[in-house]
Each structure stands twice: as C-alpha cells, then as structure tokens.
Amino acid sequence: MSNDPHSSLLRQQDAEVAAWLHREDKRQSTTLTLIASENHCSSAVRAACSSRITDKYAEGYPNRRYYGGCEVADGLEELARQRAMQLFAGAEEANVQPHSGTTANLAALVALAGSGGRIVGMALKAGGHLSHGHSKSHTGMLFDARQYGVDGSGRIDLDEVRRVAREHQPKVLIAGGSSYARNIDYRAFAEIAREVGAFLMADIAHPAGLMAAGVVPSPIGIADVVTMTTHKTLRGPRGGMILARKDCAKLINSSVFPGAQGGPLVQQIAGKAVAFGEALRPEFRAYQERVKDNAAWLAECLAGQGLDIVTGGTDNHIVLVDLRRVDVTGAAVEERALAAGLSVNKNAIPGDPRPPMVTSGLRLGTAAVTTRGFGKDEIAKVAEIIVGLVRGSDPERFRPVVQGLCERFPLP
Ligand code: DSN
C-alpha cells in the first residue's frame, strides 16, 4: 500500500482491510487499465476524499441546510459548483451532489419527465447505458421508456432518432452512451427534441473530460440538462454531476435532494472541487489531446493487424472491437487479458448475438494509460498484445512486457 500516513495508520488499526487495500494498490500498479470508464485520479483528489468532512451531514444546499455546522460543506460545495461552471463554460447551474452517474440520470429524468413519463434513449445494446431506459434499470421500470438503435456501421442514425421521437413523443430525449466511440451531433438532437416538444438530456459520462478540455464537441449550451460522472475521462473522484439551464435547475435540485438522495457525500464533493481545479489547468487540455490521439492510434494499430473496429475508428477515448470475424468471445479475451496484466471489459457490440456476460466485443479506453504517460510507442505495444490475445497466444508470454511498461510508467 502507498506510504501515506493514512495507510500506515490503517495497517496498525485494521490489518485485514489494509491488506485488501494493499492488494488493490498492487493490482493497479502492476496491471494496465484499459477499461474505458476508469482512470487514475491524483493523490490530491484522493486526499480530499479521505478527509474528516466525511463525518458531516449536510442535507440541503449551500446556505439552506437541515443541519448546523455546515459552513465548510457550504464553502466546498459552492467552490465545486463555481469551478464546474467555469470548466464547462456556458453551463448556467451545477449540481455536484449526485453520488453516481446513474443517480444523476434518475434524478434528472424524474425532474424532466415526471414519474411514468415517456423517455427515449439509445439502447444499451447499441452503445447506450442501462440508466437510459433499459428494462432492468429503474429508468426502464418507472418511465415509459422507448429506445433507438444505431445503423449497420454502428453510428447513430439521426433519421431513425427522429422517427422514434416523432412516433413516441417523449418528454425527454437522451443523447449519449457508454460504448459509443463517435461524436454526437447535439444540435441535431436538440432540433429533434424541439420538434416533438421534449427536453434534451445529454449524458456525457464518458467524454466529459475531453469536452471540458474542448477537444471534442460538447452539448453545453445546447442540451437542457447535461449529466455526467466525474471519475472517467474527467479524472476526478467517483461521483456524478448535473449541469442545467437556469429554468430547469430548481426542478433538478429538488429531484436530487430530497428526491433521490439524502445527505451529499461532502468528501466526494471536495474531491470533485480538486479535480475541477486540476482540469482548469492547461496541462489538462494537453492530457485530453493525448487521450484522444492515443485512442485513434490504438484503433489504427488494431485495424492494421486485422481486427474490426465498430464504426471503423473513434473520435474519443473509446475503441470498440468487434470480435465476430475472429470467432472468439469478449469474455474469453477479457480473461486472457487479465492473465497478461491488462484490465479490459467484454462489451456488447451493436446487434450482438451473444448474451451480456459473454458478448462479441471488447471495449478499450485510453484515459488511464495516458494518465500513466503512454504515448504512441506504448500504445502500439498494447495493440500488439491485444491482437496476440485475440488470436489465442499464451497470455503469460506478454506478462513481462506489461510488467516493464508498468514499471516505466508508474501510477500518479
Ligand atoms: N460502468 C460505466 C461504464 O463502464 O461505462 C457506466 O456505468
């Protein structure tokens, strides 16, 4: 485990938990994270999240709390909100309390669609997210949820989105996904939403960091409400956030608290404030440019060695590999990759004939390895390993190469 004072204290007080956490430190430092939704936040973010403010109840919002002694919580939450609005310039209001992206989506959908209201989002199988109306998610149970898919090449077909929206006349149209590697035309989505009288909600959980840095187009100022997580490309602590137009903010705020949550996790809000401060620095833009370039290069290297990439490439940090032609499952490659020291995830591809625990795809992301300092040479090595694993090489063969990369590029 890292040698910060908290860790040694924990070792003395609770050896069992300390041993588990040590194991996780070791796992992360000796393997490469290529899971597109993960990243390595800074030690400053981690310090804020493990601060004493974790003890504090602060139900309510700054200067309107249900508990006394909230002046520090007020200060931190206001700081996080102001930094968020500076980072996502054009956002009129920010709610930094959602515990996660799914909670943020649920709260926003209740606020905009009302209980039982109709929503339209991208199907999980097409690259959307569970919380965009999937039948097993509360968003699919509590709302009248309809879905749109993607075209044969894996891209959003705006004519199809318009057709589904016109047919179902939703209260909320959702744009965004969890395995969608292409830019989204938010203006076109806004036009469709306007045509059918729906709110447009953009879920930018994955590309939030790229958008904050201005390296991919953003829905800020276009969508009525924007939801996100703070721990993916944004590289903050685990949590969610909602940005909203001023006239939606009151509804959103009361839907987060008291609607969906009790007391906010103030320690996470402190971590969000730190992360937003980091993201406002020029280095963050340079980092996000590398994340994007590395993903484009990874897709090119994989395709160059004969693998199929859904949509033929990427505009963001995600590369979705279609394994059908090689006739190997996502689950099998995930297992081989783990043995080689790569952490990746099996993922459904559009029209996947296999079930979600098996799948015919592999989702890769470059945010975490770019945080470690990877550039083109290292990405090319990773691509070679992945191709080898997909084609059935012994994973143990690659372990020393991965080990070497981990040692040369330590965690932040
Ligand atoms: N688990 C996140 C992802 O992997 O995209 C979304 O919830």
Side-chain angles (χ1 to χ4, degrees), residues 333-368:
V333 179
E334 180 184 298
E335 203 180 309
R336 289 176 203 168
L338 276 177
L342 302 182
S343 160
V344 302
N345 73 276
K346 57 184 168 294
N347 208 98
I349 50 165
D352 205 323
R354 296 190 167 108
M357 290 304 280
V358 183
T359 80
S360 307
L362 195 64
R363 187 186 64 163
L364 306 167
T366 51

Side-chain angles (χ1 to χ4, degrees), residues 11 15 25 46 49 82 103 106 111 124 127 147 149 153 209 235 252 300-301 313 324-325 329:
R11 268 197 301 272
D25 264 15
R46 285 186 288 120
C49 294
Q82 293 309 327
T103 316
L106 191 57
L124 180 67
Q147 312 239 277
S153 72
R235 206 164 61 177
I252 295 285
E300 203 180 316
C301 292
R324 282 176 304 182
R325 230 163 30 92
T329 67

Side-chain angles (χ1 to χ4, degrees), residues 305-316:
Q305 290 169 78
L307 295 193
D308 293 333
I309 309 298
V310 175
T311 75
T314 178
D315 295 326
N316 54 33

Side-chain angles (χ1 to χ4, degrees), residues 33-370:
T33 297
L34 291 158
I35 291 180
S37 47
E38 296 182 5
N39 206 335
H40 304 292
C41 68
S42 70
S43 44
V45 168
R46 285 186 288 120
C49 294
S50 61
S51 69
R52 202 181 283 288
I53 197 92
T54 193
D55 297 340
K56 189 68 195 106
Y57 246 119
E59 283 180 351
Y61 286 99
N63 305 314
R64 280 185 303 116
R65 305 281 189 185
Y66 290 84
Y67 294 83
C70 286
E71 59 280 7
V72 175
D74 286 358
L76 285 168
E77 185 166 344
E78 207 37 50
L79 186 62
R81 279 176 16 83
Q82 293 309 327
R83 285 184 180 175
M85 288 185 278
Q86 202 184 335
L87 189 58
F88 293 96
E92 293 177 358
E93 281 296 336
N95 187 311
V96 294
Q97 292 195 5
H99 300 334
S100 71
T102 291
T103 316
N105 284 345
L106 191 57
L109 289 171
V110 172
L112 301 176
S115 163
R118 184 165 297 159
I119 62 172
V120 163
M122 178 152 66
L124 180 67
K125 270 193 140 175
H129 189 253
L130 274 166
S131 63
H132 295 179
H134 188 274
S135 60
K136 301 276 187 223
S137 152
H138 282 182
T139 57
M141 300 176 194
L142 303 176
F143 303 104
D144 180 8
R146 312 296 166 97
Q147 312 239 277
Y148 58 88
V150 285
D151 67 15
S153 72
R155 292 185 189 243
I156 290 173
D157 173 354
L158 288 163
D159 291 336
E160 169 69 359
V161 176
R162 178 173 276 107
R163 189 194 63 71
V164 174
R166 279 187 179 160
E167 182 183 343
H168 299 299
Q169 300 286 315
K171 289 194 169 146
V172 183
L173 176 64
I174 307 169
S178 63
S179 55
Y180 193 69
R182 293 298 180 174
N183 290 334
I184 290 178
D185 184 345
Y186 295 109
R187 288 195 190 282
F189 264 91
E191 201 181 296
I192 296 170
R194 244 191 329 270
E195 273 172 35
V196 300
F199 286 106
L200 176 62
M201 176 177 126
D203 179 345
I204 60 165
H206 269 272
L210 296 153
M211 288 173 178
V215 306
V216 300
S218 144
I220 308 294
I222 300 172
D224 300 291
V225 167
V226 177
T227 62
M228 71 190 80
T229 51
T230 49
H231 50 272
K232 297 187 175 90
T233 51
L234 199 44
R235 206 164 61 177
R238 193 152 288 273
M241 176 160 77
I242 305 176
L243 303 173
R245 271 205 340 248
K246 242 188 179 37
D247 55 322
C248 299
K250 204 163 180 257
L251 272 175
I252 295 285
N253 287 347
S254 55
S255 191
V256 172
F257 170 83
Q261 298 181 178
L265 308 175
V266 190
Q267 75 284 5
Q268 296 305 107
I269 291 176
K272 289 172 192 175
V274 174
F276 300 158
E278 291 172 353
L280 282 163
R281 296 185 198 134
E283 307 87 272
F284 190 73
R285 186 187 162 100
Y287 160 66
Q288 295 296 347
E289 273 166 356
R290 281 198 306 276
V291 168
K292 193 176 141 181
D293 290 350
N294 279 345
W297 178 232
L298 177 61
E300 203 180 316
C301 292
L302 295 172
Q305 290 169 78
L307 295 193
D308 293 333
I309 309 298
V310 175
T311 75
T314 178
D315 295 326
N316 54 33
H317 61 299
I318 297 174
V319 177
L320 188 59
V321 185
D322 178 346
L323 299 166
R324 282 176 304 182
R325 230 163 30 92
V326 195
D327 202 20
V328 61
T329 67
V333 179
E334 180 184 298
E335 203 180 309
R336 289 176 203 168
L338 276 177
L342 302 182
S343 160
V344 302
N345 73 276
K346 57 184 168 294
N347 208 98
I349 50 165
D352 205 323
R354 296 190 167 108
M357 290 304 280
V358 183
T359 80
S360 307
L362 195 64
R363 187 186 64 163
L364 306 167
T366 51
V369 289
T370 307

